[in-house]
Amino acid sequence: MNKSTLNFWILFIVSIIVSALIISIFVKVLKITLFVILVLVLAPIIYIALKLLLPGAKGKSEDDKLKSRP
């Protein structure tokens, strides 16, 4: 094996390793981004659903307000 062939294989292996690292980092960032987007989309929907389902979370009615003095 001459020096140029050895150089080629070393560069080829290093480039494969670096590519795998970059792809794995990209996939992790993509997962985190997707998680954040889904949380931001689902949070208001779940909040509204819970507000409708829980009896005490509907707010005050007209009878609960204090009467003002004339």
Side-chain angles (χ1 to χ4, degrees), residues 3-4 10 12 17 21-23 26 31 34-35 40 44-46 50 53 56-60 64 67:
K3 188 176 180 180
S4 65
I10 290 173
F12 183 68
I17 292 171
L21 287 173
I22 290 172
I23 290 171
F26 176 73
K31 281 183 184 179
L34 183 63
F35 180 77
L40 290 176
I45 295 169
I46 293 173
L50 288 175
L53 291 175
K58 292 189 177 181
K60 294 183 178 182
D64 294 340
K67 294 182 180 178

Side-chain angles (χ1 to χ4, degrees), residues 44-63:
I45 295 169
I46 293 173
Y47 174 79
I48 291 170
L50 288 175
K51 192 172 180 181
L52 292 174
L53 291 175
L54 295 177
K58 292 189 177 181
K60 294 183 178 182
S61 65
E62 290 293 323
D63 297 333

Side-chain angles (χ1 to χ4, degrees), residues 3 6-7 29 31 36 44-45 68:
K3 188 176 180 180
L6 185 63
N7 241 356
V29 168
K31 281 183 184 179
V36 169
I45 295 169
S68 60

